[in-house]
Structures are given as C-alpha cells and as structure tokens.
Amino acid sequence: MLPLLADYVEAITVDLGGPSAVSAMQARTAELAMLARGCTLLVMAQATQQGTGIAGARRSVQGRRGDLVQRKSEADLASVLSKFMSVELTALRALGLERRPREVPSLRAYLAARAETPDSPEGT
C-alpha cells in the first residue's frame, strides 16, 4: 500500500505544478490527504477481510486484540470510512484540487475532426 500512497502524493504535487511550485503547507496538506486515503483503504480492507459489507444490515464484527474485544458494526465502519473520505476531500479542496469536467467538443466539431482523419470510415 505504501507505493500506492507515495504515487498519490506525487500525483498531487504534479497537479499543483511540480515540487518547485509547492509550498511547505501545501506539501503537508497533500500528506494529510494521503494519510486519509491510506486510512480509507485500511477500513475498506478490514471490512473485506472480516467478510462484512460497509452498508446493509446491522451485523457486528469482532476483533480480538489482547484481552480487549472490539465490536464494530457495519454502521460504525461506514461512519469511520465517511470521516476519512471527508478529511481527504477537504484537504484536496484546500489545495484547490477539484473535479473539473473536461471540455467536450460540439457534435459538429467532433464529426468534422473525424471526417478529417485519414483512417476514418466517414472520411472516404
């Protein structure tokens, strides 16, 4: 999981303009987003490993850690997952990274571009 998370921070850094363009606070915020992402992946892995879903019936899962028995219901897992995902999203928004729809050409422009392509069936 660590290489995946390292790639995550690297991708954020590239999106922000590269290492030379990222301030120290932006780097820390990217690390916070990475930690939240890692925690999200761990919660999902725990739910999968224990054979529970994240949503659905209110079953409980037990995990034994020393003498302490912890019971986490699916609602608890969903709540924890939601919190980590929210932290990640908040950090990404603080960095100015949001989902932006890509520009889609008009149908006319798309068809004109297809007609100009030599290997296009419509261009012959």
Side-chain angles (χ1 to χ4, degrees):
M1 179 166 39
L2 293 177
L4 175 69
L5 294 177
D7 290 345
Y8 184 81
V9 170
E10 186 177 322
I12 290 173
T13 302
V14 169
D15 285 347
L16 293 173
S20 62
V22 175
S23 71
M25 285 310 296
Q26 286 175 316
R28 296 305 146 279
T29 304
E31 288 175 5
L32 177 63
M34 176 200 64
L35 289 172
R37 179 71 172 160
C39 291
T40 296
L41 293 173
L42 289 173
V43 170
M44 290 174 22
Q46 178 185 355
T48 301
Q49 183 182 31
Q50 293 179 350
T52 65
I54 301 260
R58 292 191 178 264
R59 296 182 303 228
S60 295
V61 292
Q62 287 187 10
R64 199 169 274 283
R65 188 176 205 177
D67 293 325
L68 177 66
V69 176
Q70 296 178 343
R71 296 182 65 86
K72 292 285 186 189
S73 70
E74 290 178 355
D76 292 335
L77 288 176
S79 174
V80 169
L81 181 64
S82 174
K83 288 176 185 175
F84 285 129
M85 292 174 80
S86 180
V87 169
E88 180 185 8
L89 184 58
T90 300
L92 293 173
R93 284 185 177 156
L95 291 169
L97 300 173
E98 298 180 35
R99 184 188 180 283
R100 293 186 183 108
R102 64 182 166 146
E103 194 171 312
V104 178
S106 69
L107 179 58
R108 182 172 302 194
Y110 172 76
L111 293 175
R114 291 271 315 229
E116 293 174 6
T117 305
D119 58 351
S120 172
E122 289 90 23
T124 56

